[in-house]
Amino acid sequence: MTESWVNSAERIGADLHLELSGPGGRRAALIRALREAVRSGRLAAGTRLPPYRSLAADLGVARNTVADAYAELVAEGWLTARQGSGTRVAERAEPLRHAVRVPRKAPRQAPPPAPPRARGPRHDLGQGTPDASAFPRTAWAASYRRALQAAPTEAFGPGDPAGRLELREALTEYLARARGVRTEPGRIVICSGFAHALRLLFGQRGQGDTGGGVLRGPLAVEAYGLGFHRDLLTAAGVRTVPLPLDEHGARVDRLGRERAVLLTPAHQFPTGGPLHAERRAAVIDWARARGAVVLEDDYDGEFRYDRKPVGAVQGLDPERVIHIGSVSKSLSPALRLGWMVLPERYVDAVLAAKGEREAWASVLDQLALADFVVCGSYDRHVRRMRQRYRRRRDRLVEALAERAPHVEVTGVAAGLHAVLRLPPGTERSAVKAAAWHGIALDGLAEFRHPAAEEQAADGLVVGYATPSEHAYGAALEALCAVLPPG
């Protein structure tokens, strides 16, 4: 049966008549009607659409039907959705209303310009970033205001290269309570993230470094990891030696004469899983025997779902481990705030490498983060996001079990991504198919060290934290549609 809805001017600024008809049910009919309204120009760019509940009530459909229709059109680029701004018609080319007449004797003209392309992928399932729409704006603004009002006058002068004492004190308490880190404020140095920490520790050629970094290679690394970090180390003249991985994490028994080892022990990136307890003890024994140091990348240690908390390796020996963390996964990479918990012997050298004046992390952001941690907002945000990401992980696992049961899902007990194990020889085609359909994700091979010994396994690294809530369902549908058959 054909249904119609006449929208009030108060809701979108102009009357609009929608015809819900045709095959495929009400969701498909609503998508077609809205798409046609945009295409024909009856819904102009920037027009705000009514909330899910209002439109559902007017049309006599379920609220989820409207939410799914909006999400699909956002994913296709017809609509945009931002927190606080609602769902609006995306900026698009003017609708084609009339054919363009070309004079018979017109001079030779250049071909018409190509239609505008959507910015970025339609479905972002890339790893490494949290849901930007979930940033706690209200709580962060409150912390920022309190920090600004309470800041002493000297906070507005040149910054301390170690970072603000208020933040280092807050981190000392938080890391001890939440991650089992043993430290004190004088052994914490604030940085702008993990990559900045690597640059300070190892230096970088061509960047004006005079001391060549605090640490020297060769550096043992896990056989799978971020190529960006390997490139950064290579630029600093550091040779990296890959360690094989198995179901218990890095094979630290293969460590030899390296001067340091870089690990992701809380949740191996990207394959998943914590470093086994025996191997945690073994790597500390190796560092003590060799006079070496362990670099602990605690990149998403807060997000765990089906297992007990895993403490930091640093707690086993604070003088043999450099613990590195940031808020890039827990809050936002836009804040550019991280920290190094250092053995005492490295503190002065790291501060010297950083320089006399803090040139990276904003002092005001540091003060705001300190308040955010102390007042409990950080803990509340992490708990809330842990629940949200767990639900997303469960939806991913359920969708794959129903649509692609031949695909094994691994590494999902913690973190913000999953690894989808594919049949041999299908990874490259799956990545191409995903790109063709506007899905951003990574193949597992992208993270493999070039000198790794073990045979590469086929897989996809799928980030389930990146999409906003309303776009996640459409992203899962698109993902399942491009997976290779069993």
Side-chain angles (χ1 to χ4, degrees):
M1 182 179 71
T2 299
E3 298 182 13
S4 66
W5 168 62
V6 179
N7 196 18
S8 68
E10 289 79 9
R11 286 178 179 156
I12 65 170
D15 288 343
L16 175 67
H17 182 79
L18 292 178
E19 294 286 348
L20 301 192
S21 60
R26 293 185 174 186
R27 174 181 176 276
L30 179 56
I31 290 174
R32 284 195 299 270
L34 287 171
R35 191 187 290 129
E36 178 57 29
V38 175
R39 182 187 292 116
S40 65
R42 290 190 294 121
L43 276 178
T47 300
R48 183 170 182 170
L49 300 185
Y52 304 156
R53 191 182 306 276
S54 300
L55 182 55
D58 286 329
L59 289 177
V61 300
R63 182 178 179 273
N64 287 344
T65 299
V66 178
D68 290 345
Y70 280 10
E72 177 65 24
L73 293 173
V74 168
E76 292 178 1
W78 295 94
L79 307 178
T80 62
R82 294 181 180 177
Q83 186 175 2
S85 181
T87 304
R88 296 178 181 271
V89 177
E91 297 292 336
R92 301 176 62 86
E94 288 295 322
L96 182 62
R97 294 184 175 86
H98 305 286
V100 178
R101 295 182 178 180
V102 180
R104 291 183 178 180
K105 296 182 179 181
R108 185 175 181 180
Q109 298 180 3
R117 301 179 63 182
R119 295 180 180 179
R122 288 187 293 171
H123 307 289
D124 191 352
L125 292 174
Q127 57 75 35
T129 55
D131 180 358
S133 68
F135 184 81
R137 299 175 187 234
T138 301
W140 180 259
S143 285
Y144 208 99
R145 285 194 299 270
R146 285 193 298 267
L148 192 61
Q149 292 170 355
T153 302
E154 51 88 14
F156 299 92
D160 183 342
R164 288 297 303 182
L165 179 60
E166 296 92 333
L167 178 55
R168 291 184 283 125
E169 289 177 338
L171 288 172
T172 297
E173 186 277 331
Y174 173 79
L175 294 173
R177 170 171 52 83
R179 305 295 299 125
V181 170
R182 295 189 288 157
T183 190
E184 56 190 28
R187 293 169 60 168
I188 295 178
V189 174
I190 303 302
C191 57
S192 65
F194 187 80
H196 184 205
L198 285 185
R199 291 188 177 98
L200 291 173
L201 292 171
F202 291 96
Q204 188 165 4
R205 293 175 178 174
Q207 297 295 319
D209 296 281
T210 58
V214 177
L215 303 178
R216 297 174 59 194
L219 171 69
V221 298
E222 294 161 333
Y224 282 81
L226 280 175
F228 168 70
H229 292 162
R230 289 195 298 268
D231 293 343
L232 189 153
L233 292 164
T234 299
V238 178
R239 181 170 67 90
T240 57
V241 180
L243 291 176
L245 296 168
D246 61 20
E247 66 274 16
H248 298 303
R251 290 282 307 276
V252 297
D253 59 309
R254 299 284 292 272
L255 286 167
R257 300 178 64 84
E258 296 85 8
R259 291 186 172 94
V261 58
L262 171 59
L263 301 172
T264 52
H267 182 228
Q268 202 288 319
F269 180 86
T271 62
L275 186 65
H276 193 275
E278 292 182 0
R279 296 187 181 180
R280 288 168 167 250
V283 75
I284 294 297
D285 291 340
W286 168 83
R288 289 170 177 168
R290 289 282 306 156
V293 64
V294 179
L295 276 65
E296 179 177 24
D297 181 2
D298 197 41
Y299 76 99
D300 63 0
E302 297 94 344
F303 298 112
R304 58 189 183 278
Y305 314 118
D306 300 327
R307 71 180 192 208
K308 295 180 180 179
V310 179
V313 172
Q314 190 268 1
L316 299 177
D317 191 338
E319 293 303 324
R320 291 296 171 190
V321 180
I322 297 176
H323 180 88
I324 307 172
S326 77
V327 297
S328 294
K329 306 296 186 294
S330 57
L331 277 173
S332 169
L335 288 178
R336 308 313 307 149
L337 284 174
W339 51 85
M340 287 182 282
V341 180
L342 297 162
E344 188 173 1
R345 66 185 183 279
Y346 292 128
V347 173
D348 290 342
V350 169
L351 293 178
K354 202 176 184 189
E356 293 184 2
R357 294 191 177 186
E358 170 61 66
W360 295 82
S362 163
V363 166
L364 297 180
D365 285 347
Q366 292 181 51
L367 292 172
L369 179 59
D371 181 274
F372 199 74
V373 172
V374 170
C375 76
S377 292
Y378 188 74
D379 283 282
R380 288 189 290 273
H381 176 73
V382 168
R383 286 195 298 269
R384 182 169 60 252
M385 298 312 297
R386 188 183 296 146
Q387 294 171 355
R388 175 179 294 192
Y389 293 149
R390 178 171 186 161
R391 290 194 297 268
R392 291 195 184 187
R393 182 212 58 176
D394 292 346
R395 289 178 63 185
L396 170 64
V397 173
E398 291 167 1
L400 293 172
E402 179 181 351
R403 300 278 300 276
H406 59 286
V407 174
E408 180 186 6
V409 187
T410 64
V412 292
L416 305 180
H417 72 273
V419 176
L420 279 53
R421 303 287 182 173
L422 301 180
T426 61
E427 177 183 318
R428 182 174 298 181
S429 60
V431 172
K432 288 184 177 179
W436 179 261
H437 287 84
I439 307 171
L441 49 73
D442 298 294
L444 188 58
E446 289 291 323
F447 304 96
R448 184 172 179 269
H449 194 290
E453 297 178 359
E454 66 265 34
Q455 184 177 0
D458 285 71
L460 298 177
V461 180
V462 175
Y464 48 79
T466 306
S468 58
E469 283 290 290
H470 72 272
Y472 188 54
L476 288 184
E477 287 291 323
L479 172 66
C480 292
V482 302
L483 293 175

